[in-house]
Amino acid sequence: MHIAVAGNIGAGKTTLTRLLAKHFKWEPHYEDVVDNPYLDDFYHQMERWSFNLQIYFLNSRFRQVLQIRESGKKIIQDRTIYEDAHIFAPNLHAMGLMTNRDFLNYSSLFELMESLVEAPDLLIYLRSSIPNLVNQIHKRGREYENSISIDYLSRLNERYEAWVQTYSKGKLLIIDVDNIDFVNNPEDLGIILNRIDAELNGLF
């Protein structure tokens, strides 16, 4: 079984992935941000490094999805291969930070990879407002994220919303994270756990 958690930067994907893995005894697969050799360069010079970064993420996530399906285990994944292709890469292209040539090359590669992988059994989308994202990003204090602009986050949010409206590859659960605290409030986490149970097991 393959569960995936999607959402903008700072929405709480990694934290929720960890909590769900612990509760359901799923194996977590996290986004490769620590070992990513392009991330720091990208945030300082987006136009120069956008294609390299997106190719790195695409390769990393494609490898992850193949491993998930081959393992036969119950796995929860922090961010999906679709977010790179439907949100981050097109956003960079639209902002003039990725050339037409690079974007077409990237899109062609994604389409090939997409034809070889299966969608998650359940996609959990964490919906968040910009102020909440900004607050969470500041709270975790990653140095390379200091240069992320509100305009950039807003553009990503718009693309996320457009993407989930048309998502039809499998089950989708949308969680509005603005008014819940699943880290410090066990009741809020319990509500999420019940909703996931219902989606997976068809209860209620």
Side-chain angles (χ1 to χ4, degrees):
M1 187 171 63
H2 176 197
I3 314 297
V5 182
N8 206 341
I9 302 162
K13 295 179 303 299
T14 304
T15 304
L16 186 63
T17 297
R18 190 181 73 246
L19 292 170
L20 295 180
K22 185 179 177 184
H23 176 83
F24 289 109
K25 304 289 189 290
W26 294 336
E27 184 178 300
H29 282 223
Y30 296 106
E31 188 173 29
D32 187 7
V33 290
V34 177
D35 299 322
N36 190 321
Y38 296 106
L39 209 50
D40 195 44
D41 289 326
F42 167 73
Y43 280 123
H44 286 99
Q45 204 180 347
M46 286 186 168
E47 193 169 354
R48 165 63 183 87
W49 296 103
S50 62
F51 180 70
N52 306 66
L53 178 78
Q54 291 305 312
I55 289 294
Y56 181 89
F57 272 133
L58 191 63
N59 176 36
S60 170
R61 263 186 270 280
F62 181 62
R63 192 181 303 274
Q64 262 192 343
V65 176
L66 292 180
Q67 288 169 350
I68 286 167
R69 289 297 176 182
E70 285 170 11
S71 74
K73 296 177 182 175
K74 292 181 177 179
I75 287 172
I76 182 162
Q77 181 187 24
D78 174 359
R79 191 165 269 152
T80 66
I81 196 169
Y82 306 112
E83 289 162 86
D84 294 306
H86 292 291
I87 289 130
F88 288 89
N91 183 58
L92 290 166
H93 179 239
M95 290 175 75
L97 297 169
M98 187 185 289
T99 64
N100 289 336
R101 179 176 59 180
D102 283 348
F103 183 63
L104 288 171
N105 186 1
Y106 173 90
S107 300
S108 173
L109 187 58
F110 168 73
E111 284 168 17
L112 175 64
M113 289 177 169
E114 188 184 24
S115 70
L116 298 170
V117 298
E118 292 179 54
D121 298 296
L122 174 64
L123 176 70
I124 302 167
Y125 169 56
L126 303 184
R127 173 179 280 151
S128 174
S129 66
I130 299 301
N132 185 53
L133 294 174
V134 170
N135 184 38
Q136 293 302 322
I137 290 168
H138 281 293
K139 199 184 290 183
R140 69 187 181 194
R142 291 178 185 163
E143 194 176 327
Y144 61 80
E145 291 180 341
N146 288 342
S147 56
I148 297 176
S149 69
I150 286 176
D151 175 58
Y152 181 66
L153 284 175
S154 299
R155 287 169 179 264
L156 293 178
N157 244 17
E158 286 172 14
R159 289 186 180 274
Y160 264 107
E161 288 300 319
W163 173 58
V164 294
Q165 297 305 322
T166 59
Y167 181 80
S168 58
K169 294 184 177 297
K171 292 180 177 178
L172 171 67
L173 176 60
I174 299 175
I175 298 170
D176 195 321
V177 295
D178 273 14
N179 302 311
I180 61 169
D181 183 355
F182 55 76
V183 179
N184 300 307
N185 189 336
E187 284 184 15
D188 286 348
L189 179 59
I191 291 168
I192 294 173
L193 296 176
N194 287 338
R195 290 183 66 191
I196 291 170
D197 258 335
E199 287 292 338
L200 293 177
N201 302 312
L203 305 174
F204 314 118

